[in-house]
Structures are given as C-alpha cells and as structure tokens.
Amino acid sequence: MEIGNLQRRYLDFASTLFHEGFLDNQFTQLQQLQDESSPEFVLEVVTLFFEDSEKLLDELSRTLNQQAVDFKKVDAHVHQLKGSSASIGAQRVKNVCVAFRNCCEEMNQEGCLRCLRQVRNEYFLVKNKLETLFALEQQIVAAGGSVPMMW
Amino acid sequence: MRDRYPACSINWLVVDRRAAMSSPARGETEAIHVLAVDDSSVDRAVIAGLLRSSKYRVTAVDSGKKALELLGMQEPNVNMIITDYWMPEMTGYELLKRVKESSKLREIPVVIMSSENVPNRINRCLEEGAEDFLLKPVRPSDVSRLSSWIR
C-alpha cells in the first residue's frame, strides 16, 4: 500500500481513539517527547503499562475472590492502576478506576467485582487499539515513510 | 558536528559517550542531575522522559530507601530530587523529612508529585521544605517550572 494511504489510515485510526475517549491529551504529550534521542519512548512506556496493568489485574482478581476481602489492598492496587493509566493517557481505564475506588470505599464486593470486569474490558480494548496503532506506525516506516504527527 | 568542527570531532565524541553512559541526555556533560523517585515503573519512565527532554541528567529509583542510599554516597552530585508522595515503606514526605534533617543533603531542592490533590498534604510538604508540589500526570509545563528551583 502506498505511503500516503498508510499515513491517512494511521491518522484516521488515531483520531478515532481520541474521539472515542480511549486516549487523552496525556498520550499526545508522550508522543511529543519522542525524538531521535529516544525514538521508542512511547512504545517503552506503553509496554511498561501493559506489564504493570496485567499484574495488577491478576492481583485484583485474587484479592477480590477471597472469603474476607482486604478492601484496603484492593484500593491500593486500583490506585496504582488509575495512576499509570492516567500517566499514559488511557482515559477510559482511568475513569473506571475512579468508580472502582468508590466501591472499595463502600466495601462493596459485588460492586468491586463488577468494576473489575469493566476495567479488564477497557484495558484489553485499549491494549488492542494501541497495538494496532503501533503496527500501523511500523507499516509506514517499513514502506519508507515517516509517521505523521497528530498535533 | 564533525563537518563544522573537524578539529574538535574526537573530543566531542568522547564527551558525548560519557554523557550517554550516565543517561541518554542530549550531549550535555555538565547537565543538571535530577534524582527521580517513584515506585511505579510507568511513572518513572514518564518522568525520566520528561526530564531528559528538558536536558536534565536523570537517575530514577523505585524507593525512598534506594534514594537515600544514592544520596549517602561520597559524591552523589544531585541537584534536585523529585519524588512521588505515595510509596510503600517510605513516603515522599518521609524522604523529604530525612533530606531536610541531613546537614549534607538539606540544600537539595525537593519536589513532591502526587496523583491526589489533598490540600493538607500539599501544605505539610511545603511546610517541611518542599519547593513545589506537582499534580500527576506530570506534563512538560510542570517540568519547565522546575528550573526555578535549581541552585
């Protein structure tokens, strides 16, 4: 596929991610930090986010499925997930975390389990979107083009 | 570079490599050294990226304990400490107190970061001697504020 088409496809895809609220301005800020001295910066940070989040989701599942739930522990994990999702601009994940913390405060196990399902869904959605975005970038570069800026 | 300053090319390369070994800053050898403390791997990567793009040399550690170990060395050469507030074992506030209680370290400006906007917390930190308090997620405009605190 011709470079121009690939670039257009990339820009269209990227803008829907912002319009649909998957990503917010924080992600753009990270993209702006990427340059020749740190050409893989966004990929590195997002990869750390994937690793961190999957560990946290597993921990949350374990903690919430105990007989006696330690809500303080659940809250600490959600706080961490909220922080890291905010740091990379994963807006929808962050928003579910806000609701999740409310359930923790109310010590509502059912509510928390519901939130966990939601946050897991949102996480895998954004992970999929980001992987697609990076794949589109790689296609452009492989075709000899440069990835267009979105700002 | 080589074309413009052919006589200095070798010196320049040696200097650049030394700077690259401590951290991939943009070739500044006498760059200001910032110690970043955050238990989140994602946030550490983001703050390091933000600081490096502003030409600071960065050392990032994941705990107050590690920060104090580094600061306890003969020549830590740290010009500023930026630390997360909420960390397991030792909070950023506790780290701030230890730094300000130490005759060797108390002149180093300390900046606190937090994802939560808690006025009491902010005041306590400022009263204890923190120069500034940044709300996460940290952005480039926050980092440009830091230069006013460097001595």
Side-chain angles (χ1 to χ4, degrees):
Chain A
M1 202 190 276
E2 180 241 315
I3 294 175
N5 281 337
L6 286 170
Q7 289 172 326
R8 246 182 314 273
R9 216 162 49 139
Y10 171 80
L11 286 172
D12 284 343
F13 184 73
S15 54
T16 55
L17 294 188
F18 286 94
H19 284 138
E20 291 174 4
F22 286 104
L23 297 176
D24 64 26
N25 184 253
Q26 181 68 13
F27 187 79
T28 313
Q29 305 262 358
L30 296 184
Q31 287 180 307
Q32 289 172 338
L33 290 177
Q34 187 160 290
D35 60 19
E36 324 79 53
S37 65
S38 55
E40 302 268 90
F41 178 65
V42 180
L43 182 63
E44 285 164 5
V45 178
V46 171
T47 305
L48 287 168
F49 171 69
F50 290 163
E51 289 167 359
D52 202 46
S53 303
E54 285 172 38
K55 240 184 281 173
L56 286 168
L57 288 171
D58 285 344
E59 264 308 306
L60 280 166
S61 187
R62 222 186 324 262
T63 316
L64 278 169
N65 285 301
Q66 310 270 23
Q67 280 279 49
V69 176
D70 183 349
F71 285 102
K72 273 215 151 102
K73 203 170 175 196
V74 176
D75 187 65
H77 290 325
V78 178
H79 172 81
Q80 213 181 314
L81 184 58
K82 174 170 161 264
S84 56
S85 55
S87 292
I88 69 144
Q91 192 179 253
R92 279 160 62 148
V93 175
K94 180 195 72 177
N95 289 342
V96 179
C97 288
V98 174
F100 204 153
R101 290 195 84 191
N102 289 337
C103 288
C104 290
E105 238 174 281
E106 293 163 13
M107 311 231 274
N108 177 354
Q109 188 178 19
E110 261 319 302
C112 281
L113 284 166
R114 223 182 354 250
C115 285
L116 176 58
R117 278 195 293 276
Q118 242 189 307
V119 85
R120 185 172 239 123
N121 280 343
E122 287 298 341
Y123 166 72
F124 282 108
L125 267 171
V126 80
K127 179 176 185 192
N128 184 275
K129 303 281 182 189
L130 285 167
E131 287 175 335
T132 305
L133 192 71
F134 292 137
L136 287 171
E137 285 180 2
Q138 282 175 339
Q139 275 187 302
I140 296 171
V141 171
S146 60
V147 180
M149 310 287 181
M150 283 184 273
W151 54 88
Chain B
M1 261 301 138
R2 254 204 209 92
D3 294 323
R4 274 202 284 167
Y5 305 100
C8 301
S9 61
I10 293 168
N11 287 340
W12 182 262
L13 279 176
V14 167
V15 155
D16 220 34
R17 221 178 291 133
R18 252 195 290 145
M21 284 197 293
S22 57
S23 102
R26 290 183 196 161
E28 298 272 348
T29 46
E30 293 309 321
I32 290 162
H33 183 201
V34 181
L35 175 61
V37 191
D38 201 316
D39 61 313
S40 157
S41 60
V42 176
D43 288 355
R44 257 196 323 279
V46 170
I47 193 72
L50 282 169
L51 290 167
R52 283 182 189 131
S53 94
S54 289
K55 305 220 168 107
Y56 295 114
R57 178 162 75 89
V58 184
T59 301
V61 297
D62 66 5
S63 69
K65 178 163 175 250
K66 292 220 182 97
L68 288 171
E69 277 168 12
L70 192 143
L71 291 165
M73 283 165 35
Q74 274 284 71
E75 299 287 353
N77 280 331
V78 169
N79 303 112
M80 164 172 280
I81 299 166
I82 180 162
T83 177
D84 188 27
Y85 182 89
W86 259 134
M87 294 186 290
E89 289 166 21
M90 187 189 296
T91 65
Y93 176 74
E94 285 158 4
L95 174 60
L96 165 69
K97 272 180 73 172
R98 298 277 284 268
V99 167
K100 293 303 166 184
E101 282 164 1
S102 151
S103 52
K104 181 182 166 216
L105 304 174
R106 73 163 62 109
E107 291 302 305
I108 304 176
V110 181
V111 171
I112 313 274
M113 303 180 278
S114 176
S115 55
E116 290 169 317
N117 189 353
V118 182
N120 284 342
R121 178 185 298 177
I122 299 174
N123 286 332
R124 236 174 13 138
C125 289
L126 294 175
E127 277 165 22
E128 199 60 44
E131 304 293 347
D132 207 343
F133 193 101
L134 302 177
L135 224 44
K136 283 176 160 188
V138 182
R139 354 199 79 211
S141 51
D142 297 319
V143 173
S144 53
R145 262 159 66 175
L146 296 179
S147 57
S148 51
W149 307 122
I150 310 281
R151 292 183 195 132

